[in-house]
């Protein structure tokens, strides 16, 4: 596929305006235009930074509280420069936070920004921060995008130190895969830097500003795939070393020493993973090979994804077990509770209270003694009487227990029965189906057959790429389900199974269902116990997290799972 710049997205053909291209000999705050990732400025949270040479268009007069399209209320300006501004706003119609880029309609790059935003919105890939609206009205051009309040920029993550090896591996895998998908649709980023990469609270990595950030600054490239690949290499380099792989400081990171050139990450910092170090060099120094293994350079995100797939899988770190504190015997002495006496100190026991020596005290002791003697005598008499009565009625008791099936004190435990499965159908909440023709193999009585998922790059949790995958089972009639036993093909860390009651074999969405129970396992079986008893004919077995497994004859290595058999009991 021929490379092309998408910062303007064929705006020259659509609008008649020639897109502004940052040439290599132009001086901008973005650094050298051929490598915009060498920025020394720092974009603000959820905004877009960068200053270019002077533009004649003046920024629109906007303020907090201003509404766009009677819907988007501006709250806080996070960037204002070069004739455009970026805001945190509120979508009053859907009651959610959004981000908005605004510039005058007669701005030299207004049509380019609109075209880039609309092209990015058509991609619809959840790994990118989505463009929600792109409008030209009232002499303004504005682009509305998602606002992720629970996400953290890579810049902030690197401020505390380099990423863990598994986190860096996940980051470069997901970012490279996302950019490869974007370039297959003809879209490039061209400003892929630590401010444009976010990690959500669920551990997923998201990219913001696809095509739009470059269009706002008039940046384009003759080799967009190579530019984005080198940017991914710079991100991995920074994640491994907490250093920016150029001489200038940027994004809160120190640059490399002047005059030494580009050196491998494992030579910058001790303990860096060798495979990831070489991968960063293959992407970053794509005019040659690494000195250690002479691997070929990666010049496109697709080549980088292939190189990551050829690496040995990097497992997540084992959870650290913290031993409980040792048991410490507590003491009570002279107002000291739970504190040991200092060495050498004489521990004088407290003086016991004086006994009851008065006339009243003696009377009280005699009264208590008399009550105790009476209680013991009464108790002995009742015990003997009860034993004799039990001997006389033992035969009657046995007969009652044998013949009275409705005895209220008998066992009320209901017999457990296996519920027959009459049919099943794969439920697709988002995206493509998995293997709908294999659902019957999960209840055919043969554990060697199974229904399997696709192999996902990100995990174990599938969200936000997919809310989950699973199968709806038809029990033939309304049943009271108590447990679901699910046989799994892959073990590992970890599989999460949820159980839902639904009203049909083809439900509309998860929102229309009632959750019955959930379980997380690392083995090859999962038993979901119903915690909310709801009678239903249709039950959904829903997988929301999958373990990582190596490649096999059916699929590549990744996060995946297969169901061998399902049994319901009621």
């Amino acid at each position: 596929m021929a490379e092309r710049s998408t910062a303007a997205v064929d705006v020259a053909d659509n609008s008649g305006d020639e897109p502004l291209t940052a040439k290599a000999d132009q001086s901008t705050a973005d650094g050298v235009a051929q490598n915009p990732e060498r920025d020394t400025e720092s974009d603000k949270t959820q905004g877009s930074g960068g200053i270019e040479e002077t533009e004649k268009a003046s920024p629109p007069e906007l303020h907090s509280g201003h509404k766009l399209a009677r819907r988007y209320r501006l709250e806080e300006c996070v960037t204002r420069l070069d004739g455009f501004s970026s805001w945190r706003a509120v979508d009053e119609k859907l009651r959610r936070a959004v981000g908005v880029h605004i510039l005058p309609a007669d701005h030299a790059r207004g049509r380019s920004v609109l075209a880039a935003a609309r092209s990015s919105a058509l991609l619809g890939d959840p790994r990118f921060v989505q463009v929600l609206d792109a409008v030209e009205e009232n002499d303004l051009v504005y682009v509305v995008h998602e606002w992720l309040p629970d996400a953290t920029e890579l810049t902030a993550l690197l401020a505390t130190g380099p990423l863990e090896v598994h986190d860096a591996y996940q980051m470069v895998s997901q970012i490279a895969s996302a950019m490869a998908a974007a370039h297959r649709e003809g879209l490039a980023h061209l400003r892929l830097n630590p401010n444009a990469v976010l990690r959500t609270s669920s551990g997923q990595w998201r990219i913001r500003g696809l095509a739009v950030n470059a269009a706002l600054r008039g940046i384009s490239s003759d080799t967009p795939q190579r530019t984005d690949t080198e940017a991914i290499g710079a991100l991995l380099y920074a994640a491994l070393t907490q250093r920016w792989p150029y001489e200038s400081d940027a994004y809160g990171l120190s640059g490399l020493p002047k005059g030494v050139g580009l050196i491998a990450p494992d030579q910058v910092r001790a303990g860096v993973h060798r495979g990831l170090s070489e991968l960063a060099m293959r992407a970053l120094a794509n005019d040659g090979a690494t000195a250690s293994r002479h691997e070929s350079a990666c010049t496109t995100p697709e080549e980088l994804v292939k190189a990551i797939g050829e690496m040995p899988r990097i497992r997540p770190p084992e959870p650290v077990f913290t031993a409980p504190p040792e048991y410490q015997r507590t003491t009570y002495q002279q107002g000291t509770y739970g504190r040991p006496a200092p060495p050498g100190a004489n521990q004088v026991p407290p003086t016991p209270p004086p006994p009851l020596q008065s006339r009243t005290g003696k009377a009280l002791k005699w009264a208590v003694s008399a009550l105790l003697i009476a209680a013991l005598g009464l108790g002995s008499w009742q015990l003997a009487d009860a034993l004799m009565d039990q001997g006389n009625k033992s035969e009657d008791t046995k007969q009652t227990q044998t013949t009275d099936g409705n005895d209220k004190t008998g066992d009320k435990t209901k017999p457990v029965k296996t519920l027959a499965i009459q049919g099943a159908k794969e439920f697709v909440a988002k995206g493509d189906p998995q293997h709908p023709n294999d659902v019957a193999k999960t209840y055919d009585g043969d554990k060697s057959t199974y229904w399997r998922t696709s192999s996902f790059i990100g995990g174990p949790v599938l969200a936000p790429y997919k809310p989950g995958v699973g199968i709806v089972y038809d029990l033939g009639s309304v049943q009271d389900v108590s447990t679901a036993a699910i046989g799994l093909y892959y073990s590992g860390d970890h599989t999460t199974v949820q159980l839902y009651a639904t009203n049909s074999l083809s439900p509309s969405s998860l929102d229309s269902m009632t959750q019955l129970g959930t379980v997380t396992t690392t083995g090859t079986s999962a038993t979901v116990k119903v915690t909310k008893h709801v009678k239903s004919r249709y039950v959904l077995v829903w997988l929301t997290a999958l373990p990582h497994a190596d490649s096999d004859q059916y699929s590549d290595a990744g996060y995946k799972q297969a169901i061998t058999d399902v049994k319901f009991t009621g």
Side-chain angles (χ1 to χ4, degrees), residues 448-464:
S448 64
T449 61
Y450 49 81
W451 166 88
R452 61 187 176 90
T453 71
S454 300
S455 180
F456 298 92
I457 295 177
V461 179
L462 295 181

Side-chain angles (χ1 to χ4, degrees), residues 313-327:
R313 182 167 63 92
I314 299 177
R315 297 182 179 274
E318 295 292 334
V320 179
F321 173 75
T322 303
E326 295 184 1
Y327 173 76

Side-chain angles (χ1 to χ4, degrees), residues 69-347:
R70 297 182 179 180
R71 175 175 180 177
Y72 304 111
R73 186 180 74 249
L74 304 182
E75 293 287 325
E76 178 187 5
C77 182
V78 295
T79 303
R80 189 189 297 274
L81 52 87
D82 195 26
F84 73 88
S85 58
S86 299
W87 295 74
R88 176 178 61 83
V90 174
D91 183 349
E92 294 187 336
K93 184 175 181 180
L94 298 180
R95 296 181 180 179
R96 63 179 178 182
V98 294
V100 184
H101 301 302
I102 307 173
L103 65 163
D106 58 354
H107 195 288
R109 296 190 292 273
R111 303 298 295 274
S112 301
V113 171
L114 270 180
R118 290 166 179 171
S119 298
S120 177
L122 291 175
L123 181 61
D125 192 318
R127 292 171 292 189
F128 294 92
V129 174
Q130 298 295 296
V131 172
L132 306 175
D133 208 352
V135 181
E136 178 181 359
E137 67 176 10
N138 297 332
D139 298 327
L140 290 176
V141 169
Y142 57 89
V143 176
V144 182
H145 61 85
E146 282 184 294
W147 186 276
L148 305 177
D150 65 333
T152 306
E153 290 181 354
L154 180 59
T155 309
L157 296 174
L158 294 179
T160 59
L163 298 184
E164 296 290 338
V165 175
H166 184 260
D167 290 339
Y169 173 73
Q170 288 291 316
M171 185 272 293
V172 71
S173 300
Q174 296 182 31
I175 297 301
S177 177
M179 289 309 305
H183 278 283
R184 285 194 293 268
E185 300 298 326
L187 292 169
H189 196 291
L190 305 184
R191 279 186 55 81
L192 197 56
N193 54 50
N195 289 334
V197 176
L198 310 171
R199 186 173 70 179
T200 66
S201 57
S202 62
Q204 303 300 309
W205 294 89
R206 305 280 299 273
I207 304 172
R208 69 180 173 201
L210 178 66
V212 176
N213 281 3
L216 284 168
R217 293 160 178 80
I219 297 173
S220 65
S221 172
D222 294 331
T223 56
Q225 294 205 51
R226 185 164 180 168
T227 299
D228 284 343
T229 305
E230 183 175 348
I232 298 172
L235 293 174
L236 179 58
Y237 195 105
L240 295 173
T241 64
Q242 202 186 10
R243 299 286 293 268
W244 193 237
Y246 306 101
E247 292 185 353
S248 59
D249 299 343
Y251 310 106
L253 304 173
S254 300
L256 298 179
K258 298 184 182 297
V260 300
L262 182 62
I263 54 180
D266 55 0
Q267 297 176 7
V268 175
R269 193 180 192 97
V272 171
H273 189 275
R274 177 72 177 276
L276 291 179
S277 174
E278 294 178 350
L279 184 68
M281 294 298 289
R282 291 178 64 183
L284 192 56
N286 44 44
D287 56 348
T290 62
S292 57
R293 294 181 57 187
H294 301 283
E295 295 281 359
S296 59
C298 297
T299 58
T300 67
E302 199 73 50
E303 293 177 357
L304 191 57
V305 171
K306 183 178 179 181
I308 295 171
E310 293 171 350
M311 289 178 54
R313 182 167 63 92
I314 299 177
R315 297 182 179 274
E318 295 292 334
V320 179
F321 173 75
T322 303
E326 295 184 1
Y327 173 76
Q328 181 178 3
R329 184 180 299 276
T330 59
T331 60
Y332 179 81
Q333 177 183 344
Q334 296 179 351
T336 301
Y337 183 77
R339 291 180 294 176
N346 295 325
Q347 299 186 11

Side-chain angles (χ1 to χ4, degrees), residues 356-367:
L356 297 173
Q357 299 294 343
S358 64
R359 182 178 299 176
T360 304
K362 293 180 180 180
L364 181 60
K365 288 191 292 182
W366 280 108

Side-chain angles (χ1 to χ4, degrees), residues 312-499:
R313 182 167 63 92
I314 299 177
R315 297 182 179 274
E318 295 292 334
V320 179
F321 173 75
T322 303
E326 295 184 1
Y327 173 76
Q328 181 178 3
R329 184 180 299 276
T330 59
T331 60
Y332 179 81
Q333 177 183 344
Q334 296 179 351
T336 301
Y337 183 77
R339 291 180 294 176
N346 295 325
Q347 299 186 11
V348 181
T351 303
L356 297 173
Q357 299 294 343
S358 64
R359 182 178 299 176
T360 304
K362 293 180 180 180
L364 181 60
K365 288 191 292 182
W366 280 108
V368 172
S369 300
L371 287 175
L372 287 175
I373 293 172
L376 289 173
L378 181 61
S380 301
W381 176 78
Q382 289 181 340
L383 178 60
D385 185 65
L387 291 174
M388 292 176 64
D389 185 63
Q390 182 177 0
N392 294 331
K393 296 183 179 180
S394 58
E395 295 299 327
D396 293 339
T397 304
K398 292 179 181 179
Q399 182 179 2
T400 302
Q401 291 178 349
T402 304
T403 59
D404 189 1
N406 296 322
D407 187 358
K408 295 183 179 180
T409 61
D411 187 6
K412 293 185 179 181
T413 303
K414 295 181 180 180
V416 177
K417 66 175 181 178
T418 301
L419 305 179
I421 300 175
Q422 303 298 328
K425 183 177 181 180
E426 185 175 309
F427 174 59
V428 182
K430 180 180 180 182
D432 298 328
Q434 305 301 294
H435 294 86
N437 296 329
D438 295 336
V439 294
K441 296 178 180 179
T442 62
Y443 60 98
D444 58 359
D446 185 357
K447 294 186 177 182
S448 64
T449 61
Y450 49 81
W451 166 88
R452 61 187 176 90
T453 71
S454 300
S455 180
F456 298 92
I457 295 177
V461 179
L462 295 181
Y465 182 70
K466 270 184 176 293
V469 293
I471 302 172
V472 178
Y473 292 91
D474 181 4
L475 304 181
S477 61
V478 175
Q479 301 286 348
D480 188 1
V481 180
S482 60
T483 60
I486 298 104
L488 304 173
Y489 190 83
Y490 300 104
S491 61
D493 185 18
H494 57 266
T495 302
T496 299
V497 183
Q498 297 177 352
L499 212 63

